[in-house]
Each structure stands twice: as structure tokens, then as C-alpha cells.
Amino acid sequence: MNIKLLKDEVEQWISDYFGDKQEVNIRNFEAMSYSIKVGGKRIRPILMLLTYSLYKEDFESILPFASALEMIHTYSLIHDDLPSMDNDDLRRGKPTNHKIYGEAIAILAGDGLLNEAMIIMLNECLDGNLNKIKASALIAKASGAEGMIAGQICDILSEGKVISEEELLYMHRNKTGQLIIAAILSGATLGNASEEDLSALKMFGDKLGLAFQIKDDILDVVGDVAILGKNVKSDECNNKTTFITMYGLAKCKAKCNDLTQECFQILKGLKANTNYLEEITEFLLKREY
């Protein structure tokens, strides 16, 4: 098993799922399919599959959950890009959804992906497996008004203002961190991890999510559009407080590295082979996109 294999498995599951849907009703699924199949790192589903694989070998059995999580993430990106939010015209190297289909269809495409994800998870829970139900609840809560959406609201309300470090951390621990933590905890839950491991993995996810966001803020300043697949300096254009404006570039790089080292220490404390989780943690530190 390796990270590329897991990414390919997720891509194939998503492709098959939306291929079947479009055969029945292309009009309703075309815009959804456009954004979900246009590419991406697939970090969240890969984290889920890798964490599950600490405990069980049959990662294929949870591909529906992993793919549902990616649908939720993609819905959030479609909505983030809308003119009423970040007003971006480039995502994953392609025109954003509303640039292709118009704002109304883009909103509905995001809504459709969120609901399709919930349908997939609910169908997986019909066998009554308690761990599947717990994992679904984790993902749903992380996506909701006390999770990702809370962070998005804070982000919108903070535009054009100088906010405190506490507010900045709250924003990104919810907007970015919640789905990353949910990916890790849901994978562990599906794998029937112990409470002790779940506690450690929650700390790992919190630090990884924060490092991920700080790296995103760094790339928004120094990244290459051709590599990133999205516009740079968008936060500056939207007059947002970021980790760069809060700490400066040098301190952000140091914080990102420190958080990554703390992630490694947590993983090494688990009684399992965490090599692949360590590999993806290092990738997220060094990535250029």
C-alpha cells in the first residue's frame, strides 16, 4: 500500500460513482462531477484511509466514506469560490464552478455534493454498524455550524478587520482543521481504535490541520499559480488577516516546521506502523501546491 495507490482508489471510486449518476441524469450531476473530478490532492480521504489502515487491512471497505468526505470538501470549495465569498476564478488549475455553470448552478452543485455525501454515509450505516454511525456523525458535525461553517462565517465577518490571534486560530481550526481531524478520527473509529489512540490522533489532527493552514497562507504569498492551480495573494486582495500578516513569513515557516515535528512525535507514540502517515505529514510541510 502507498499514498499514490490510495489516491488512485479514491479517484476511481468517485469516477465510477458519478459516471453511473450521469448516465441516468447528466443535467443534475454535470456541475457536481466537474468540480469533484477536476483533480486535487485528496488529502482528507487519504488521511482517513491511512489512519484506518493502522488497525485493519481492508481499506477498500471504507472507500465510500473517504469519497463522501472528499465530496464535502469539494462542496466547500465551490461555495468558497463564489462571488459572494472569495470570488475566485481558478481552482485546481481549472475555471471555478460558477465560471463554467453560473452562480446559481454552482450553489446547487455544492448543495448536491454535500447531500450526496450524506446519502452515501447513511446507506453505509444501514447495516447498523455502530462504528460507521459514529464516523458519519463525526464527519457531519465537523462539516456543520459548529465546525467548518463556523470557520467560514468567522472568515467572512473578519474581512477588512484586524482580528486577534485567538480569533484567527478559531477560524482556521474550524474552517480547515475540523475536516482534517474528522478524516483522521473517522478512519480510526471505523478501524475500531482504542480511546487512548483516538485521543492521540485528535491531537495529531489538530496540529496537522494548523500546519496545513499555515502552509496554505505561506503559499498564498510565495506560491506559483501554475503549480498551485489557484490564484495567489487572494487573501491580500480580500483584505484578510492571515498567519502571514499575524506572524510574518519567517515565523510562519518556523511554526509550520515545529508543528510538523510535534505531529511526528505523536505518531511515534502509537503502537502501529505510522510510516505512511509520517510520509504524508512531511509532504504537507514541503508541498508547493
Side-chain angles (χ1 to χ4, degrees):
M1 181 189 69
N2 59 52
I3 291 170
K4 184 181 182 305
L5 168 66
L6 296 182
K7 185 175 187 292
D8 290 345
E9 291 279 356
V10 172
E11 298 281 8
Q12 190 61 57
W13 199 95
I14 288 171
S15 180
D16 291 345
Y17 186 83
F18 281 97
D20 292 343
K21 293 291 184 183
Q22 285 188 267
E23 283 181 16
V24 177
N25 196 332
I26 190 169
R27 183 183 68 177
N28 289 3
F29 287 93
E30 182 182 357
M32 295 164 60
S33 180
Y34 171 78
S35 288
I36 193 71
K37 292 169 72 174
V38 80
K41 298 181 287 295
R42 311 303 192 197
I43 293 300
R44 292 151 190 82
I46 290 171
L47 283 170
M48 183 192 292
L49 295 169
L50 287 176
T51 308
Y52 176 85
S53 296
L54 295 177
Y55 306 99
K56 295 187 177 181
E57 296 182 358
D58 61 331
F59 71 86
E60 298 90 347
S61 68
I62 68 159
L63 280 169
F65 286 97
S67 301
L69 184 62
E70 184 66 10
M71 290 179 201
I72 294 169
H73 173 57
T74 303
Y75 120 74
S76 75
L77 299 182
I78 293 174
H79 283 192
D80 268 353
D81 292 335
L82 290 168
S84 58
M85 293 185 71
D86 287 348
N87 195 23
D88 280 322
D89 57 12
L90 191 67
R91 173 71 69 176
R92 293 173 172 172
K94 301 289 185 182
T96 47
N97 199 289
H98 68 273
K99 288 292 180 180
I100 300 291
Y101 297 102
E103 191 171 351
I105 294 298
I107 292 169
L108 293 170
D111 294 344
L113 283 168
L114 173 60
N115 282 282
E116 210 64 29
M118 296 303 168
I119 291 166
I120 290 167
M121 292 193 295
L122 284 168
N123 282 336
E124 289 296 307
C125 292
L126 290 176
D127 63 2
N129 183 294
L130 186 58
N131 284 338
K132 291 181 180 179
I133 296 167
K134 287 179 179 178
S136 299
L138 275 168
I139 294 167
K141 184 174 182 181
S143 310
E146 293 182 294
M148 181 178 68
I149 290 173
Q152 290 172 320
I153 289 172
C154 184
D155 191 11
I156 291 168
L157 295 177
S158 299
E159 285 187 17
K161 299 178 182 177
V162 176
I163 63 173
S164 67
E165 182 180 34
E166 182 181 3
E167 289 171 309
L168 183 65
L169 289 169
Y170 171 86
M171 180 198 307
H172 290 303
R173 279 201 160 105
N174 283 286
K175 184 176 180 180
T176 303
Q178 285 278 8
L179 277 193
I180 288 175
I181 293 171
I184 292 162
L185 290 184
S186 60
T189 298
L190 289 164
N192 202 33
S194 67
E195 288 299 322
E196 182 181 0
D197 279 10
L198 288 171
S199 178
L201 287 165
K202 185 175 182 180
M203 286 191 292
F204 165 67
D206 181 59
K207 293 179 184 296
L208 185 67
L210 190 54
F212 185 96
Q213 183 59 54
I214 294 172
K215 183 68 176 186
D216 261 7
D217 284 1
I218 292 170
L219 291 173
D220 189 60
V221 174
V222 304
D224 184 332
V225 174
I227 299 173
L228 280 173
K230 61 182 180 179
N231 294 320
V232 296
K233 302 195 187 319
S234 60
D235 291 329
E236 181 181 327
C237 291
N238 289 320
N239 197 18
K240 292 185 177 183
T241 298
T242 68
F243 287 106
I244 298 293
T245 63
M246 180 71 66
Y247 303 132
L249 183 59
K251 189 173 180 180
C252 279
K253 289 180 178 179
K255 277 185 170 291
C256 205
N257 185 69
D258 289 347
L259 285 163
T260 301
Q261 296 307 313
E262 289 170 20
C263 285
F264 289 149
Q265 289 303 312
I266 293 169
L267 291 176
K268 290 183 186 303
L270 297 174
K271 296 174 183 176
N273 184 349
T274 61
N275 288 346
Y276 288 115
L277 275 175
E278 290 173 38
E279 181 183 332
I280 198 167
T281 299
E282 185 171 13
F283 162 74
L284 292 177
L285 171 68
K286 296 180 178 180
R287 67 191 167 101
E288 296 182 359
Y289 63 96

